[in-house]
PDB file of all heavy atoms in Angstrom:
ATOM      1  N   VAL A   1      41.228 204.327 -50.104  1.00 96.00           N
ATOM      2  CA  VAL A   1      39.927 204.381 -49.465  1.00 96.00           C
ATOM      3  C   VAL A   1      40.113 204.345 -48.014  1.00 96.00           C
ATOM      4  O   VAL A   1      40.888 203.539 -47.520  1.00 96.00           O
ATOM      5  CB  VAL A   1      39.030 203.251 -49.943  1.00 96.00           C
ATOM      6  CG1 VAL A   1      37.708 203.188 -49.130  1.00 96.00           C
ATOM      7  CG2 VAL A   1      38.723 203.343 -51.456  1.00 96.00           C
ATOM      8  N   MET A   2      39.443 205.285 -47.317  1.00 97.00           N
ATOM      9  CA  MET A   2      39.533 205.342 -45.848  1.00 97.00           C
ATOM     10  C   MET A   2      38.218 204.819 -45.272  1.00 97.00           C
ATOM     11  O   MET A   2      37.174 205.307 -45.719  1.00 97.00           O
ATOM     12  CB  MET A   2      39.879 206.775 -45.368  1.00 97.00           C
ATOM     13  CG  MET A   2      41.191 207.280 -45.955  1.00 97.00           C
ATOM     14  SD  MET A   2      42.668 206.316 -45.472  1.00 97.00           S
ATOM     15  CE  MET A   2      42.634 206.431 -43.672  1.00 97.00           C
ATOM     16  N   GLY A   3      38.242 204.064 -44.242  1.00 98.00           N
ATOM     17  CA  GLY A   3      37.104 203.539 -43.698  1.00 98.00           C
ATOM     18  C   GLY A   3      37.138 203.574 -42.124  1.00 98.00           C
ATOM     19  O   GLY A   3      38.153 203.678 -41.508  1.00 98.00           O
ATOM     20  N   TRP A   4      35.919 203.528 -41.557  1.00 98.00           N
ATOM     21  CA  TRP A   4      35.662 203.445 -40.183  1.00 98.00           C
ATOM     22  C   TRP A   4      34.964 202.136 -39.854  1.00 98.00           C
ATOM     23  O   TRP A   4      34.022 201.769 -40.477  1.00 98.00           O
ATOM     24  CB  TRP A   4      34.852 204.598 -39.612  1.00 98.00           C
ATOM     25  CG  TRP A   4      35.575 205.962 -39.577  1.00 98.00           C
ATOM     26  CD1 TRP A   4      35.525 206.895 -40.574  1.00 98.00           C
ATOM     27  CD2 TRP A   4      36.416 206.393 -38.526  1.00 98.00           C
ATOM     28  NE1 TRP A   4      36.289 207.973 -40.174  1.00 98.00           N
ATOM     29  CE2 TRP A   4      36.830 207.737 -38.905  1.00 98.00           C
ATOM     30  CE3 TRP A   4      36.850 205.850 -37.305  1.00 98.00           C
ATOM     31  CZ2 TRP A   4      37.737 208.463 -38.146  1.00 98.00           C
ATOM     32  CZ3 TRP A   4      37.751 206.646 -36.521  1.00 98.00           C
ATOM     33  CH2 TRP A   4      38.224 207.889 -36.964  1.00 98.00           C
ATOM     34  N   PHE A   5      35.556 201.393 -38.909  1.00 98.00           N
ATOM     35  CA  PHE A   5      34.930 200.219 -38.360  1.00 98.00           C
ATOM     36  C   PHE A   5      34.751 200.378 -36.867  1.00 98.00           C
ATOM     37  O   PHE A   5      35.447 201.207 -36.262  1.00 98.00           O
ATOM     38  CB  PHE A   5      35.737 198.972 -38.663  1.00 98.00           C
ATOM     39  CG  PHE A   5      35.750 198.543 -40.132  1.00 98.00           C
ATOM     40  CD1 PHE A   5      36.323 199.273 -41.109  1.00 98.00           C
ATOM     41  CD2 PHE A   5      35.120 197.361 -40.463  1.00 98.00           C
ATOM     42  CE1 PHE A   5      36.295 198.857 -42.407  1.00 98.00           C
ATOM     43  CE2 PHE A   5      35.016 196.920 -41.782  1.00 98.00           C
ATOM     44  CZ  PHE A   5      35.585 197.640 -42.762  1.00 98.00           C
ATOM     45  N   ARG A   6      33.953 199.561 -36.239  1.00 98.00           N
ATOM     46  CA  ARG A   6      33.796 199.576 -34.812  1.00 98.00           C
ATOM     47  C   ARG A   6      33.650 198.164 -34.310  1.00 98.00           C
ATOM     48  O   ARG A   6      33.248 197.274 -34.940  1.00 98.00           O
ATOM     49  CB  ARG A   6      32.561 200.484 -34.402  1.00 98.00           C
ATOM     50  CG  ARG A   6      31.291 199.904 -34.801  1.00 98.00           C
ATOM     51  CD  ARG A   6      30.157 200.872 -34.544  1.00 98.00           C
ATOM     52  NE  ARG A   6      28.823 200.378 -34.915  1.00 98.00           N
ATOM     53  CZ  ARG A   6      27.777 201.063 -34.918  1.00 98.00           C
ATOM     54  NH1 ARG A   6      27.735 202.376 -34.589  1.00 98.00           N
ATOM     55  NH2 ARG A   6      26.625 200.560 -35.227  1.00 98.00           N
ATOM     56  N   GLN A   7      34.042 198.049 -32.985  1.00 98.00           N
ATOM     57  CA  GLN A   7      34.007 196.808 -32.283  1.00 98.00           C
ATOM     58  C   GLN A   7      33.606 196.976 -30.920  1.00 98.00           C
ATOM     59  O   GLN A   7      34.257 197.699 -30.116  1.00 98.00           O
ATOM     60  CB  GLN A   7      35.331 196.051 -32.437  1.00 98.00           C
ATOM     61  CG  GLN A   7      35.330 194.636 -31.873  1.00 98.00           C
ATOM     62  CD  GLN A   7      36.548 193.892 -32.298  1.00 98.00           C
ATOM     63  OE1 GLN A   7      37.622 194.413 -32.578  1.00 98.00           O
ATOM     64  NE2 GLN A   7      36.442 192.582 -32.347  1.00 98.00           N
ATOM     65  N   ALA A   8      32.529 196.302 -30.473  1.00 97.00           N
ATOM     66  CA  ALA A   8      32.036 196.329 -29.141  1.00 97.00           C
ATOM     67  C   ALA A   8      32.545 195.042 -28.425  1.00 97.00           C
ATOM     68  O   ALA A   8      32.798 194.009 -29.127  1.00 97.00           O
ATOM     69  CB  ALA A   8      30.550 196.359 -29.142  1.00 97.00           C
ATOM     70  N   PRO A   9      32.618 195.006 -27.137  1.00 93.00           N
ATOM     71  CA  PRO A   9      33.120 193.855 -26.418  1.00 93.00           C
ATOM     72  C   PRO A   9      32.282 192.606 -26.779  1.00 93.00           C
ATOM     73  O   PRO A   9      30.989 192.633 -26.793  1.00 93.00           O
ATOM     74  CB  PRO A   9      32.936 194.174 -24.977  1.00 93.00           C
ATOM     75  CG  PRO A   9      32.982 195.657 -24.955  1.00 93.00           C
ATOM     76  CD  PRO A   9      32.395 196.175 -26.209  1.00 93.00           C
ATOM     77  N   GLY A  10      32.907 191.471 -27.115  1.00 94.00           N
ATOM     78  CA  GLY A  10      32.275 190.256 -27.437  1.00 94.00           C
ATOM     79  C   GLY A  10      31.672 190.222 -28.888  1.00 94.00           C
ATOM     80  O   GLY A  10      30.976 189.222 -29.212  1.00 94.00           O
ATOM     81  N   LYS A  11      31.843 191.245 -29.701  1.00 96.00           N
ATOM     82  CA  LYS A  11      31.293 191.271 -30.987  1.00 96.00           C
ATOM     83  C   LYS A  11      32.414 191.383 -32.069  1.00 96.00           C
ATOM     84  O   LYS A  11      33.556 191.722 -31.761  1.00 96.00           O
ATOM     85  CB  LYS A  11      30.343 192.475 -31.126  1.00 96.00           C
ATOM     86  CG  LYS A  11      29.135 192.433 -30.203  1.00 96.00           C
ATOM     87  CD  LYS A  11      28.219 193.591 -30.434  1.00 96.00           C
ATOM     88  CE  LYS A  11      27.589 193.592 -31.845  1.00 96.00           C
ATOM     89  NZ  LYS A  11      26.593 194.688 -31.976  1.00 96.00           N
ATOM     90  N   GLU A  12      32.056 191.018 -33.276  1.00 95.00           N
ATOM     91  CA  GLU A  12      32.986 191.160 -34.382  1.00 95.00           C
ATOM     92  C   GLU A  12      33.165 192.608 -34.743  1.00 95.00           C
ATOM     93  O   GLU A  12      32.217 193.449 -34.550  1.00 95.00           O
ATOM     94  CB  GLU A  12      32.459 190.337 -35.574  1.00 95.00           C
ATOM     95  CG  GLU A  12      32.283 188.919 -35.414  1.00 95.00           C
ATOM     96  CD  GLU A  12      33.521 188.113 -35.344  1.00 95.00           C
ATOM     97  OE1 GLU A  12      34.572 188.619 -35.828  1.00 95.00           O
ATOM     98  OE2 GLU A  12      33.625 187.013 -34.784  1.00 95.00           O
ATOM     99  N   ARG A  13      34.308 192.922 -35.372  1.00 95.00           N
ATOM    100  CA  ARG A  13      34.528 194.269 -35.863  1.00 95.00           C
ATOM    101  C   ARG A  13      33.534 194.412 -37.097  1.00 95.00           C
ATOM    102  O   ARG A  13      33.438 193.585 -38.016  1.00 95.00           O
ATOM    103  CB  ARG A  13      35.961 194.438 -36.370  1.00 95.00           C
ATOM    104  CG  ARG A  13      36.298 195.814 -36.865  1.00 95.00           C
ATOM    105  CD  ARG A  13      37.754 195.981 -37.113  1.00 95.00           C
ATOM    106  NE  ARG A  13      38.543 195.780 -35.903  1.00 95.00           N
ATOM    107  CZ  ARG A  13      39.829 196.156 -35.824  1.00 95.00           C
ATOM    108  NH1 ARG A  13      40.538 196.687 -36.763  1.00 95.00           N
ATOM    109  NH2 ARG A  13      40.455 195.921 -34.568  1.00 95.00           N
ATOM    110  N   GLU A  14      32.841 195.526 -37.110  1.00 97.00           N
ATOM    111  CA  GLU A  14      31.803 195.745 -38.146  1.00 97.00           C
ATOM    112  C   GLU A  14      32.054 197.052 -38.913  1.00 97.00           C
ATOM    113  O   GLU A  14      32.534 198.061 -38.378  1.00 97.00           O
ATOM    114  CB  GLU A  14      30.417 195.816 -37.598  1.00 97.00           C
ATOM    115  CG  GLU A  14      30.087 196.918 -36.615  1.00 97.00           C
ATOM    116  CD  GLU A  14      28.638 197.031 -36.208  1.00 97.00           C
ATOM    117  OE1 GLU A  14      27.857 196.213 -36.719  1.00 97.00           O
ATOM    118  OE2 GLU A  14      28.329 197.793 -35.331  1.00 97.00           O
ATOM    119  N   PHE A  15      31.680 197.040 -40.203  1.00 98.00           N
ATOM    120  CA  PHE A  15      31.839 198.221 -41.010  1.00 98.00           C
ATOM    121  C   PHE A  15      30.874 199.321 -40.592  1.00 98.00           C
ATOM    122  O   PHE A  15      29.723 199.080 -40.202  1.00 98.00           O
ATOM    123  CB  PHE A  15      31.515 197.799 -42.458  1.00 98.00           C
ATOM    124  CG  PHE A  15      31.382 198.982 -43.371  1.00 98.00           C
ATOM    125  CD1 PHE A  15      32.534 199.600 -43.894  1.00 98.00           C
ATOM    126  CD2 PHE A  15      30.189 199.414 -43.858  1.00 98.00           C
ATOM    127  CE1 PHE A  15      32.460 200.653 -44.764  1.00 98.00           C
ATOM    128  CE2 PHE A  15      30.085 200.477 -44.703  1.00 98.00           C
ATOM    129  CZ  PHE A  15      31.184 201.094 -45.142  1.00 98.00           C
ATOM    130  N   VAL A  16      31.401 200.528 -40.670  1.00 98.00           N
ATOM    131  CA  VAL A  16      30.600 201.728 -40.284  1.00 98.00           C
ATOM    132  C   VAL A  16      30.403 202.617 -41.518  1.00 98.00           C
ATOM    133  O   VAL A  16      29.319 202.898 -41.977  1.00 98.00           O
ATOM    134  CB  VAL A  16      31.173 202.511 -39.125  1.00 98.00           C
ATOM    135  CG1 VAL A  16      30.382 203.728 -38.887  1.00 98.00           C
ATOM    136  CG2 VAL A  16      31.251 201.682 -37.827  1.00 98.00           C
ATOM    137  N   ALA A  17      31.530 203.113 -42.080  1.00 98.00           N
ATOM    138  CA  ALA A  17      31.502 204.036 -43.239  1.00 98.00           C
ATOM    139  C   ALA A  17      32.857 204.055 -43.944  1.00 98.00           C
ATOM    140  O   ALA A  17      33.889 203.650 -43.379  1.00 98.00           O
ATOM    141  CB  ALA A  17      31.181 205.417 -42.758  1.00 98.00           C
ATOM    142  N   ALA A  18      32.825 204.364 -45.224  1.00 98.00           N
ATOM    143  CA  ALA A  18      34.094 204.509 -45.944  1.00 98.00           C
ATOM    144  C   ALA A  18      33.946 205.608 -47.021  1.00 98.00           C
ATOM    145  O   ALA A  18      32.863 206.017 -47.395  1.00 98.00           O
ATOM    146  CB  ALA A  18      34.423 203.149 -46.703  1.00 98.00           C
ATOM    147  N   ILE A  19      35.080 206.097 -47.404  1.00 97.00           N
ATOM    148  CA  ILE A  19      35.070 207.193 -48.471  1.00 97.00           C
ATOM    149  C   ILE A  19      36.310 206.987 -49.396  1.00 97.00           C
ATOM    150  O   ILE A  19      37.418 206.740 -48.930  1.00 97.00           O
ATOM    151  CB  ILE A  19      35.100 208.571 -47.704  1.00 97.00           C
ATOM    152  CG1 ILE A  19      35.040 209.716 -48.750  1.00 97.00           C
ATOM    153  CG2 ILE A  19      36.324 208.678 -46.863  1.00 97.00           C
ATOM    154  CD1 ILE A  19      34.766 211.111 -48.163  1.00 97.00           C
ATOM    155  N   ARG A  20      36.070 207.263 -50.687  1.00 95.00           N
ATOM    156  CA  ARG A  20      37.154 207.351 -51.664  1.00 95.00           C
ATOM    157  C   ARG A  20      37.319 208.801 -52.042  1.00 95.00           C
ATOM    158  O   ARG A  20      38.327 209.371 -51.643  1.00 95.00           O
ATOM    159  CB  ARG A  20      36.801 206.475 -52.926  1.00 95.00           C
ATOM    160  CG  ARG A  20      37.875 206.447 -53.941  1.00 95.00           C
ATOM    161  CD  ARG A  20      37.688 205.343 -54.919  1.00 95.00           C
ATOM    162  NE  ARG A  20      36.376 205.421 -55.490  1.00 95.00           N
ATOM    163  CZ  ARG A  20      35.760 204.319 -56.053  1.00 95.00           C
ATOM    164  NH1 ARG A  20      36.326 203.190 -56.117  1.00 95.00           N
ATOM    165  NH2 ARG A  20      34.551 204.441 -56.655  1.00 95.00           N
ATOM    166  N   HIS A  21      36.405 209.293 -52.772  1.00 87.00           N
ATOM    167  CA  HIS A  21      36.349 210.782 -53.073  1.00 87.00           C
ATOM    168  C   HIS A  21      35.268 211.410 -52.264  1.00 87.00           C
ATOM    169  O   HIS A  21      34.487 210.734 -51.600  1.00 87.00           O
ATOM    170  CB  HIS A  21      36.145 210.997 -54.584  1.00 87.00           C
ATOM    171  CG  HIS A  21      37.116 210.284 -55.474  1.00 87.00           C
ATOM    172  ND1 HIS A  21      38.514 210.492 -55.383  1.00 87.00           N
ATOM    173  CD2 HIS A  21      36.921 209.251 -56.341  1.00 87.00           C
ATOM    174  CE1 HIS A  21      39.093 209.692 -56.292  1.00 87.00           C
ATOM    175  NE2 HIS A  21      38.140 208.937 -56.874  1.00 87.00           N
ATOM    176  N   SER A  22      35.267 212.759 -52.305  1.00 81.00           N
ATOM    177  CA  SER A  22      34.355 213.435 -51.430  1.00 81.00           C
ATOM    178  C   SER A  22      32.917 212.974 -51.540  1.00 81.00           C
ATOM    179  O   SER A  22      32.197 212.951 -50.539  1.00 81.00           O
ATOM    180  CB  SER A  22      34.427 214.987 -51.766  1.00 81.00           C
ATOM    181  OG  SER A  22      35.646 215.482 -51.420  1.00 81.00           O
ATOM    182  N   ASP A  23      32.424 212.693 -52.727  1.00 86.00           N
ATOM    183  CA  ASP A  23      31.045 212.296 -52.949  1.00 86.00           C
ATOM    184  C   ASP A  23      30.911 210.770 -53.232  1.00 86.00           C
ATOM    185  O   ASP A  23      29.861 210.328 -53.781  1.00 86.00           O
ATOM    186  CB  ASP A  23      30.418 213.130 -54.113  1.00 86.00           C
ATOM    187  CG  ASP A  23      30.371 214.584 -53.783  1.00 86.00           C
ATOM    188  OD1 ASP A  23      30.049 214.944 -52.647  1.00 86.00           O
ATOM    189  OD2 ASP A  23      30.678 215.360 -54.679  1.00 86.00           O
ATOM    190  N   ASP A  24      31.935 209.954 -52.988  1.00 95.00           N
ATOM    191  CA  ASP A  24      31.958 208.607 -53.113  1.00 95.00           C
ATOM    192  C   ASP A  24      32.067 207.897 -51.824  1.00 95.00           C
ATOM    193  O   ASP A  24      33.171 207.649 -51.323  1.00 95.00           O
ATOM    194  CB  ASP A  24      33.071 208.184 -54.094  1.00 95.00           C
ATOM    195  CG  ASP A  24      32.957 206.781 -54.684  1.00 95.00           C
ATOM    196  OD1 ASP A  24      31.920 206.147 -54.374  1.00 95.00           O
ATOM    197  OD2 ASP A  24      33.803 206.323 -55.396  1.00 95.00           O
ATOM    198  N   THR A  25      30.882 207.590 -51.165  1.00 97.00           N
ATOM    199  CA  THR A  25      30.912 207.141 -49.824  1.00 97.00           C
ATOM    200  C   THR A  25      30.075 205.871 -49.678  1.00 97.00           C
ATOM    201  O   THR A  25      29.094 205.640 -50.499  1.00 97.00           O
ATOM    202  CB  THR A  25      30.420 208.213 -48.863  1.00 97.00           C
ATOM    203  OG1 THR A  25      29.088 208.609 -49.269  1.00 97.00           O
ATOM    204  CG2 THR A  25      31.423 209.429 -48.851  1.00 97.00           C
ATOM    205  N   TRP A  26      30.233 205.151 -48.631  1.00 98.00           N
ATOM    206  CA  TRP A  26      29.498 203.979 -48.291  1.00 98.00           C
ATOM    207  C   TRP A  26      29.141 204.048 -46.781  1.00 98.00           C
ATOM    208  O   TRP A  26      29.958 204.496 -45.954  1.00 98.00           O
ATOM    209  CB  TRP A  26      30.296 202.670 -48.468  1.00 98.00           C
ATOM    210  CG  TRP A  26      30.723 202.430 -49.881  1.00 98.00           C
ATOM    211  CD1 TRP A  26      30.084 201.622 -50.798  1.00 98.00           C
ATOM    212  CD2 TRP A  26      31.807 202.960 -50.570  1.00 98.00           C
ATOM    213  NE1 TRP A  26      30.774 201.607 -52.016  1.00 98.00           N
ATOM    214  CE2 TRP A  26      31.837 202.449 -51.843  1.00 98.00           C
ATOM    215  CE3 TRP A  26      32.896 203.852 -50.180  1.00 98.00           C
ATOM    216  CZ2 TRP A  26      32.846 202.738 -52.860  1.00 98.00           C
ATOM    217  CZ3 TRP A  26      33.874 204.143 -51.140  1.00 98.00           C
ATOM    218  CH2 TRP A  26      33.835 203.588 -52.415  1.00 98.00           C
ATOM    219  N   TYR A  27      27.975 203.541 -46.398  1.00 98.00           N
ATOM    220  CA  TYR A  27      27.525 203.577 -45.008  1.00 98.00           C
ATOM    221  C   TYR A  27      26.859 202.272 -44.672  1.00 98.00           C
ATOM    222  O   TYR A  27      26.126 201.712 -45.436  1.00 98.00           O
ATOM    223  CB  TYR A  27      26.593 204.794 -44.765  1.00 98.00           C
ATOM    224  CG  TYR A  27      27.189 206.096 -44.853  1.00 98.00           C
ATOM    225  CD1 TYR A  27      27.042 206.860 -45.975  1.00 98.00           C
ATOM    226  CD2 TYR A  27      27.880 206.637 -43.785  1.00 98.00           C
ATOM    227  CE1 TYR A  27      27.660 208.067 -46.126  1.00 98.00           C
ATOM    228  CE2 TYR A  27      28.440 207.925 -43.893  1.00 98.00           C
ATOM    229  CZ  TYR A  27      28.266 208.638 -45.069  1.00 98.00           C
ATOM    230  OH  TYR A  27      28.791 209.885 -45.117  1.00 98.00           O
ATOM    231  N   ALA A  28      27.088 201.800 -43.401  1.00 98.00           N
ATOM    232  CA  ALA A  28      26.190 200.738 -42.985  1.00 98.00           C
ATOM    233  C   ALA A  28      24.839 201.252 -42.731  1.00 98.00           C
ATOM    234  O   ALA A  28      24.569 202.373 -42.394  1.00 98.00           O
ATOM    235  CB  ALA A  28      26.848 200.243 -41.566  1.00 98.00           C
TER     236      ALA A  28
END
């Protein structure tokens, strides 16, 4: 599973999106 996270200064790393198969995805 491949995922994207993001982190702004002074904040925790947060989930953005993830994908397993082409139509199997998750989004914040």
Side-chain angles (χ1 to χ4, degrees):
V1 171
M2 302 299 299
W4 288 97
F5 287 70
R6 65 189 182 187
Q7 188 166 22
K11 298 182 66 177
E12 301 285 341
R13 185 173 297 193
E14 67 173 354
F15 170 78
V16 176
I19 183 167
R20 181 165 56 202
H21 307 296
S22 294
D23 298 318
D24 194 4
T25 57
W26 299 260
Y27 294 96

